[in-house]
Amino acid sequence: MEQKRVVVTGIGMVTPLGNDVSTAWQNLLQGNSGANRITHFDASKFKTQFACEVKDLDMSSLLDAKELRRYDRYIHYAIKSAEEAIQDSHICIQSEDALRCGVIYGSGMGGINTLDVNIGGFGAGDGTPRYSPFFIPMIITNMAAGMLAIRYGFTGVNYATTSACASSAHAIANAYYQIRMGLADVILTGGSEAAIECSGIGGFNALHALSTRNDSPQTACRPFSASRDGFVLGEGAGSLILEEYEHAKARGAHIYAEVVGCGLTADAYHLTASDPDGKGAKNAMLLAINDAHITPEQVDYINMHGTSTPIGDIAEVKAIQDLFGEHAYQLSLTSSKSMTGHLLGGTGAVEAIISLLSMQHGIVTPTINHEDGDEDPNLAYHINFTFNQAQQREINYAMSNNFGFGGHNACLLFKNPNTP
C-alpha cells in the first residue's frame, strides 16, 4: 500500500501562558512562568499550594449558558484550542467529505472537576444520591473527541487516547497513521486536561510527585537542576489539524511541518517510575528516526519530556546520550514544562505545537529556573539545555518526547517544510 504524506496545517492552544498560540508563544520566548497560587479551590491545607492554571478564559462566544454548565473544564479547553486550529487551517468543513474527516483526541484524566464536585456533594449530604444527569458524559475521557466531532460535523474515525502523560502524543501518532494509510484526509487531533483539583493535587502529593516550593511557585519547575523536587501541575489543551499532503497542497494550505516519524514503546518496568537506563525512551526515539528514514545526526532539536522529577530527567538524558552519541552535544534540548507546567494528557499536543513554532521561527524556547551552581552531577552539563534564554537555531528536524505513568513512551518527529 502506498503511504501518504502527512502535514500539519492548523494549530491552537490554551495554556497557562495564554489562551491562543500567539500569546503563549511570546510568553515562552520571554521565559515567563505560568505558575502561581491555586485559585480553582482552597489549597491552603495541601502540601502543594500552587500550579500552572489557565487564566481569564472566556468561552461565552463559543458556548451558550447551558453548554458552559454541562461541559467539564477539560472540554472547554479542547473546544477553544480546536476552534483556533480549524480557523488557522482555513479548512472549509462543509466542502469536505465528512466521512474522511475524523477526530482523535487524548486526555489522561477527563472530567476530574466534575468528579470532585459530584462525589464531594454526595459525601457531604445524607447519603442520598444527587448526581448531575450529565455526570457520566462530563467525566469520561472520550467526551472531548465526541463533542468536537459533533461540533464540527466530522463523521469519520473518532476516538480518545488515554495513556497518562503520553495521551495526546499517542493521539497525534494515531492520526498520523490513519492519514498515512489513506483512511482519512483530515484529522483534528491533540489533547486536553484540567486536573488542578483537590483530587489531582492531593493524589500527586500522595505520590510525592509534585514540587512543594510554595514560597516560590514561579521558580519551582526546574528541569535538569540538582534542586528539582518534582513537577508543577498544569492544565490546558493543544489541537492540531493533520492533513494528507496532496489534499493540503490542492487547497493552498499553509504547512507548518511534515510529520515524518513516530515511535511508540513501553518501559515495562514500573507503575510510575521511568526505566532508569532510559531504554524505552531510547527505543521510541530510534523508532521515530527509522520511520522517517533519516539518521540520528539529522535531528536538530528535542522538546524533552523534562518534568523536573529527580529520576525522570536523568533517564531521558541517558536515553539521548546513548542514542545520539557525540551528536547529543550538538542538539538543542529544551523543556517547555519549566514554563507551562505539566499538562498531563494535554502536554504532548502543546509541546508538539511548540516544536513546530520553534522550527518555523528558528528559535528554541528556554528551560527556565536554572541557577549557577545548581548542576546535578548525574547529568552532563555541556549538553545544550538552552537554560534561561531562548536561542536561535535552524531546525530541519524536530523531535517531541512524552512519557506517561505505566511506562508509555511516545516520540513524534517533524520535518521543516523548507528542508529538501
Side-chain angles (χ1 to χ4, degrees):
M1 180 186 295
E2 179 190 1
Q3 290 189 346
K4 306 291 186 179
R5 294 172 66 185
V6 184
V7 295
V8 181
T9 59
I11 55 176
M13 287 198 291
V14 172
T15 79
L17 297 176
N19 300 327
D20 56 71
V21 168
S22 177
T23 304
W25 177 243
Q26 291 305 313
N27 278 305
L28 284 160
L29 291 179
Q30 293 165 19
N32 293 329
S33 169
N36 220 318
R37 305 286 293 189
I38 291 171
T39 64
H40 290 335
F41 67 95
D42 180 5
S44 59
K45 294 184 179 180
F46 286 75
K47 293 178 182 176
T48 297
Q49 299 168 9
F50 62 94
C52 290
E53 295 180 335
V54 168
K55 306 164 188 70
D56 304 319
L57 179 63
D58 183 2
M59 293 293 295
S60 61
S61 64
L62 296 175
L63 300 175
D64 63 30
K66 287 184 178 179
E67 291 171 324
L68 286 168
R69 293 195 306 272
R70 292 175 179 177
Y71 299 167
D72 190 89
R73 199 165 70 245
Y74 93 101
I75 298 177
H76 291 189
Y77 298 162
I79 289 172
K80 177 63 170 65
S81 66
E83 183 74 19
E84 183 180 19
I86 288 174
Q87 294 294 326
D88 183 46
S89 74
H90 298 288
I91 194 161
C92 180
I93 300 167
Q94 290 72 24
S95 65
E96 297 292 328
D97 179 354
L99 194 56
R100 294 190 60 80
C101 298
V103 181
I104 303 177
Y105 214 80
S107 182
M109 302 181 77
I112 193 170
N113 168 253
T114 299
L115 185 67
D116 273 13
V117 168
N118 280 261
I119 296 297
F122 175 73
D126 60 4
T128 302
R130 295 185 179 89
Y131 290 87
S132 164
F134 299 98
F135 173 61
I136 297 300
M138 289 170 72
I139 66 169
I140 50 181
T141 54
N142 69 297
M143 193 49 65
M147 292 309 303
L148 292 173
I150 292 169
R151 184 177 184 87
Y152 298 110
F154 288 6
T155 60
V157 61
N158 185 275
Y159 60 90
T161 54
T162 299
S163 48
C165 312
S167 295
S168 54
H170 273 130
I172 296 168
N174 279 270
Y176 163 61
Y177 292 143
Q178 286 279 327
I179 297 172
R180 188 169 71 166
M181 291 188 296
L183 302 176
D185 296 326
V186 179
I187 295 185
L188 169 58
T189 188
S192 180
E193 204 79 271
I196 302 174
E197 301 295 340
C198 292
S199 56
I201 295 292
F204 283 119
N205 267 159
L207 283 171
H208 304 286
L210 296 180
S211 171
T212 56
R213 204 179 293 270
N214 293 315
D215 58 339
S216 184
Q218 295 191 339
T219 67
C221 191
R222 44 183 65 200
F224 318 118
S225 293
S227 60
R228 64 192 186 278
D229 68 331
F231 71 83
V232 176
L233 191 58
E235 62 178 357
S239 294
L240 303 88
I241 298 295
L242 264 56
E243 195 168 344
E244 193 273 323
Y245 172 72
E246 294 296 341
H247 184 278
K249 186 178 175 182
R251 68 181 190 85
H254 169 71
I255 294 174
Y256 283 95
E258 182 175 357
V259 189
V260 291
C262 177
L264 309 177
T265 66
D267 280 356
Y269 173 76
H270 188 269
L271 182 70
T272 58
S274 301
D275 182 331
D277 292 328
K279 293 177 183 176
K282 174 185 174 181
N283 288 333
M285 290 185 284
L286 180 60
L287 287 172
I289 288 168
N290 290 342
D291 190 26
H293 303 290
I294 64 171
T295 66
E297 290 73 25
Q298 289 176 268
V299 177
D300 303 300
Y301 158 104
I302 304 177
N303 193 317
M304 297 174 65
H305 191 57
T307 57
S308 186
T309 56
I311 297 175
D313 287 4
I314 294 172
E316 188 175 7
V317 171
K318 181 171 177 54
I320 289 170
Q321 289 177 306
D322 286 351
L323 175 59
F324 290 95
E326 288 300 314
H327 184 64
Y329 305 96
Q330 307 303 317
L331 292 166
S332 289
L333 305 173
T334 189
S335 172
S336 46
K337 289 185 183 71
S338 61
M339 296 174 280
T340 65
H342 193 347
L343 277 63
L344 306 179
T347 200
V350 168
E351 289 166 12
I353 292 170
I354 293 169
S355 301
L356 300 181
L357 292 170
S358 290
M359 180 184 290
Q360 175 178 274
H361 296 289
I363 303 175
V364 179
T365 57
T367 302
I368 66 170
N369 295 328
H370 183 72
E371 301 169 354
D372 290 340
D374 196 14
E375 285 77 29
D376 185 332
N378 296 296
L379 297 173
Y381 274 82
H382 42 299
I383 289 180
N384 184 14
F385 288 117
T386 63
F387 283 135
N388 300 323
Q389 295 290 328
Q391 295 181 5
Q392 291 187 324
R393 169 75 186 259
E394 181 180 352
I395 301 171
N396 292 305
Y397 288 93
M399 181 177 280
S400 182
N401 286 341
N402 291 107
F403 316 129
F405 280 1
H408 311 289
N409 304 309
C411 175
L412 303 171
L413 187 57
F414 302 98
K415 178 182 177 181
N416 192 319
N418 298 318
T419 298

